[in-house]
Amino acid sequence: MSDCRRQWNREDELPVYLAGPISSGPNQRKSYGMFSSVEGAFDSKTIDFDSYAVGRKGSRTPRSRSRERILDSGDPVEKTPGDAREGSQTNSTGEIDGTGTERGKSLLQGGDGIKLLDGRLLIKGGRVVNDDQSFYADVFIEDGLIMQVGENLVAPAGVKVIEANGRMIIPGGIDVNTCLMKPYLDTQPVDDFLQGTKAALAGGTTMIIDHVTPQPEGSLLEAFERWQEAADKKACCDYSLHVDIPKWNETVKDELEMLVQDKGVNSFQVFMAYNDLYQMTDSELYAALSFLKELGAVVLVHAENGDLVAKEQRKILGMGITGPEGHPLSHPEELEAEAVFRAITLGNRVNCPVYITKVMSKSAADTIAQARRKGSVVFGEPITASLATDGSHYWSKNWAKAAAYVTSPPLSPDPTTLDHLHTLLACGDLQVVGSSHCAYSTSQKAIGRDDFTLIPEGVNGVEERMGFVWDKAVAMGKMDENQFVAVTSTNAAKIFNLYPRKGRIAAGSDADIVIWDPDSVKTITAKLQQSAAEYNIFEGLECRGGPALVLSQGQIVYEGGKLQVQQGTGRFIPRKPFPDFAYQRVKFRNQVKNSQGVTRGMYDGPVYEVPSMPKYITPSPSAKTSPTSHQPPPIRNLHQSNFSLSGAQIDDNVPRRSGHRIVAPPGGRSNITSLG
Amino acid sequence: MVMFAPPTWPRFHLLLSHLSDKGFSQPLFFLLISSSSPIRSLVSSMSERRFCQEDDCSSLLSRLGSDSPRPRMKFGGMFCNVEGAFENKTLNFESFSPQTQRRRTAPTQTGGQDGGDAATGRTMVFPSGTTRESYGKREGDRLIIKGGKIVNDDQSFYADIYIEDGTVRQIGENLIIPPGVKTVDAYGQLVIPGGIDANTNLHVPQKGLNPADDFYQGTRAALCGGTTTIIDHVLVEPGVSLLSAFDQSRETAEQRACCDFSFHLDITRWHEGLYEELETLVKDQGVNSFLFFMAYKDKYQSSDSQLYEAFGVLRDLGAIAQVHAENGDIIDEEQKKLLSLGITGPEGHVLSHPEEVETEAVYRAITIAKQANCPLYITKVMSKSAADVIAKARKKGIVVYGEPITASLATDGSQYWSKDWATAAAFVMSPPINPDPSTPQYLTSLLACGDLQVTSSAQASFSTAQKAVGKDDFTLIPEGTNGIEERLSVVWDRAVSTGKMDENEFVAVTSTNAAKLFNIYPRKGRIAVGSDADIVIWNPKEMKTVSATTHNLTVEVNILEGLEFRGVPTVVISGGQVVVEDGKLSVTEGSGRFVPRKAFPDFVYRRIKARSKMAEARGVPRGNYDGPVHDVISMTKSVPPTPTTRGPTCPKIVTGPRNLHQSGFTLAGAQIDDHIPRRSTQRIVAPPGGRSNITSLS
């Protein structure tokens, strides 16, 4: 563990963003809390968000220094691996001089490179909503970064000013579960990185974490690179990648290590479902979890009991049910809950954080909630579909419609599920909202028109994600706006170690910002969506709340319903291992959890003689030698005497030999003493 | 109601038949009967004839499955509330006897002389003498238990019991003792059905070691503790025929056992080929329960798929699935880890079998059983969380039963850390006894409220020398603890004398529930006319201290050493023989009989049957999908075998042939049903993509 930490620090190319968060994440929040309660603290001064700025220690906060620090933060940014961002580097120097306050000045002196005008933005008069608090402040953006957050910032000439008019300014959403390139048979989802990220931005999501799904025989690294390449060309918003582990074996280990150490991947998905394809046995899962824990990665689990799903599928097909309704029938809720329970148990045993992707049913969610109450480090991710609709549509008479809902685990047919999931989300029992966006066209879905097991699995939802959480949770009074930010953005950033670069509006964070309009109402329909799929599973649902304006990397990409994006502007965001949010507890538990043996005297009573180790005993779990220990039967004695037969031995001079001989108990030697 | 008017003869006859048709409760007859003696004698003579007829075949078990639980309702119902109802008459326990059908019954052997008895308020008992031939060696063995309080699982009452030929013949107040009948005095004590220990391993070798206590030693200890029936496990090693393993165990047991016994079969490697043997076992050999292991990786462990298949088969056969619920995969890894840490002592056992691993497996087993719609019985519930999972599943309506054992009810696992290796090793069993000291109380509470149903012992005793095989490696220690002898006392002490449970529930959890579950009720598990004379006279006040020096097993360590338990059996009657009296044990080796158990126990299978009918999923009748279908070129290459083995669907249905086929209908000008308009419409509906199978479902 410590090794890889060191390695990271040595590498200078890495963005400084990622250097700080581990040690300074949660601590700062506390100091922030105190400060904000001082009355009038915000009046006419810039809140010292610098202390939250990524890349520096929280302890050094005096404002006088902030200037230099802004400078500092500018530099490492340019060194981020994604070359794409070079283009968006903007300049700003002279023009701003002489404006406004002292602070304004200091800010402006900050950037001394040559920068373009359009790189700077001031959002005025909005209410900044973070996961911990909301306050009125202006946000000044430069070079794709938030440079300053404070009241009454004065706009320098030439800086574009956006009037927020009291609307909410929230950190852009992070969708941690998309599959924009997941191959099925020989087809790819209709929403690739371009379509998918366009849809994401239109919905207020400014970052996605996509799943790399290598073939069972394929190399993880190769697949990763393929995905990265495709995304670099097409993605319009920042992205990062999870890697799915299709099969557990020794070669995978090296690749995993490389991915974590060099490629900036800190999360891997394992499957408990897809019998004979991706499914891992409990032993493999145990091994995988142990290994990934050592690497400091977050383990995502697709939790369904694949064995039973396969049996049920066969049964349902045997009954002559071939339509999409066979899908939920063969994936009953219990199998999901069971696998979640098992995954959590495994996580507890290994002491590894477990992240359950796609929580689709009440019982699975309850299982997670209960485990958290018992102290397990487990996170649950409901998705747009499970939060906004239910599985009754599987029984639709329209095949295309029914098939559009096919995803695994399936949507629960219980219509009260979504309400329940929202409640758990609001109270923190579930933490993150994903979308599991994986859109196949109807003709692709129709591959399984005669056999539901062949229908490619996946639903849309990347675009609707934020809107439905607002509509069903915040607008209903279940959740407040801060929690809304937490579940749509901040928690994900923390779990996957993107915080505070993403998931927060603070000086130094990326300028992924959404101005949220809580009152806009729109009706979801496939006609108006960005996604290329011809069917939207939320078709006809009304949704309150939506983005009025979306900034990605400091650029306005969505305003008033219009999307202006540039293909390939998305950067790959590397993520470091050992996210504090998941691993802090794990580390402490590691220290505490060492089991200890009992120091005993040797057992010197009689030992039953096992006639012959019966033939049916498969290799006993321990590879240690079976006890050398039977009651001194003749053969054994002979064997022992063998040692002393040949007079002088090489190591005769070593004294332990004789000592050893004396200690040897009548019942044979025992390992027990070695514990003391 | 009419009934209380003195009835004229024919009218009464009608009434009788009428009532019985309606299934009226039996005891009502006896109100009538006792008020009108001529009829009474008639009825009794009628049934006497029947009784004798049926007795020839000694078909005690013939109708076990079909009518067991019903009588309880009648009995416990209205009638017993009537004041003085028991005076002067023999209770009609015959209606509960498995031998006779309810309608025909009547007090059979009661003094046919009407008037006299009633006046004295006594009932004469006539030994039935030599006509019976069923139980050869118990011929003529007659006993009467006087003055005790009979405790069944539904109620308690004071009555005497007359026993003959190993069967309860008569229950009633003030039975007159015929000469030559031995009297057992039970004044001030409880008379309970003998205990049934549903989980013993007296003949299950582990790692090549035979248990220290075999059928003889084990059943002796069982009898001393008030257990008169054991259900032992037959472990079938992978590759061995089920039938031959069963036969071998049965033979051994018949030679050695001192009390009645039956068998569960432990299936260690499931495959389809076992079906026939299973069928034979269930239908011909009287085995209706099978155990599967979720632990013991690479040895006995079954995968989820295997369990699902097996459960499906068991459900069809009407058997009960049992599981040893622990996640063997995790245990295996944990064991390796601990050994590599240098922990080799017995504490490694409990460290490598953490509670969650048990809980997880219980949860999974329940999920699988629910999917397969098969009744599930969790053996050895050792931890609070496992018990909670069972309780919760039951609340959701799943047919699952949980069995805590003597050890988990009486002690905790702190002894695994004992400095004395032998003591620590003696506690080694799987799942391990939980180190949490509040576990026994918690399990007792769940037992009392019915969330757990059966207590057993999981008896499997290995001597210290045998355990010492694993002295350098805890994974080699043979697993098993004692508990067969202490079971009833433990439950009484922990549950009844603390006020958690009443005496009826005590009988239920120690005997009746097991009998019902495994379908030997009411032959076992109840004191009723016709039941086996397996009876324990229980002294709830006496105390006993458990010690290896005084117990009846051969093992030298008793895990309950030094614990004091209130409640002991004073007299134990097994098969009509007094085997324990005044602390003395007198048993005959080989006197135990094999008790066959029929399939489809009502207690378990009623719900399962109903659910099987309900659970049929239906497809949706849809029009065909006629849109474009993505052309999959290389399907075979990239798809690894999909879970279904069905043939791959043809991705494209060519439209040509289909249409031709359809047009065949209309070719020949006029048709018989030309006048029916639907014809033409059908043609229009026919989609270009051809017909799909989906529509055929409706």
Side-chain angles (χ1 to χ4, degrees), chain A residues 122-275:
Chain A
L122 182 63
I123 305 173
K124 277 197 81 69
R127 191 151 54 100
V128 173
V129 180
N130 275 327
D131 66 324
D132 51 351
Q133 68 167 12
S134 316
F135 52 88
Y136 285 95
D138 303 340
V139 180
F140 180 71
I141 294 158
E142 191 177 337
D143 295 345
L145 291 184
I146 298 171
M147 282 298 174
Q148 194 115 10
V149 179
E151 288 206 1
N152 301 323
L153 296 185
V154 178
V159 170
K160 175 166 181 174
V161 176
I162 299 166
E163 288 293 340
N165 292 329
R167 283 178 297 185
M168 289 189 296
I169 303 176
I170 60 174
I174 301 175
D175 189 338
V176 287
N177 186 354
T178 62
C179 301
L180 300 180
M181 220 176 108
K182 180 184 178 185
Y184 177 77
L185 304 182
D186 62 342
T187 81
Q188 300 244 330
V190 288
D191 283 345
D192 59 0
F193 277 106
L194 175 61
Q195 294 293 340
T197 51
K198 272 168 72 179
L201 288 170
T205 296
T206 53
M207 173 164 184
I208 59 164
I209 309 185
D210 201 67
H211 279 274
V212 176
T213 48
Q215 289 300 310
E217 292 80 23
S219 147
L220 301 191
L221 271 172
E222 272 171 29
F224 170 79
E225 274 153 14
R226 211 148 27 91
W227 253 258
Q228 199 179 11
E229 198 184 322
D232 276 339
K233 272 187 216 147
K234 291 185 180 168
C236 313
C237 69
D238 287 354
Y239 69 95
S240 190
L241 296 171
H242 306 294
V243 176
D244 297 357
I245 306 177
K247 201 168 234 177
W248 184 251
N249 53 36
E250 289 301 314
T251 55
V252 164
K253 285 188 181 179
D254 299 336
E255 292 192 305
L256 290 178
E257 206 164 344
M258 196 143 9
L259 283 168
V260 172
Q261 310 281 357
D262 306 336
K263 300 291 181 186
V265 176
N266 74 359
S267 49
F268 299 92
Q269 170 148 305
V270 294
F271 294 90
M272 300 171 85
Y274 304 112
N275 202 2

Side-chain angles (χ1 to χ4, degrees), chain A residues 286 311 334 443 608 622 675, chain B residues 309 334 342 370 465 473 620 630:
Chain A
Y286 190 99
K311 295 282 174 197
E334 286 89 354
S443 68
Y608 190 86
S622 75
L675 285 175
Chain B
E309 276 173 27
E334 298 270 326
K370 157 130 207 264
D473 179 350
V620 176
H630 185 91

Side-chain angles (χ1 to χ4, degrees), chain A residues 27 36 43 82 97 125 131 138 140 153 166 179 225 240 255 257 296 323 337 342 370 375 395 438 444 472 494 664 668:
Chain A
N27 288 346
S36 66
D43 284 346
D97 262 319
D131 66 324
D138 303 340
F140 180 71
L153 296 185
C179 301
E225 274 153 14
S240 190
E255 292 192 305
E257 206 164 344
R342 188 148 41 100
Q370 242 159 30
W395 281 265
C438 184
Q444 286 172 322
K472 306 265 183 209
K494 287 178 178 171

Side-chain angles (χ1 to χ4, degrees), chain B residues 347-362:
Chain B
E347 69 277 8
H349 180 75
V350 66
L351 292 173
S352 61
H353 291 67
E355 178 174 337
E356 317 168 77
V357 166
E358 181 191 355
T359 314
E360 188 279 315
V362 170

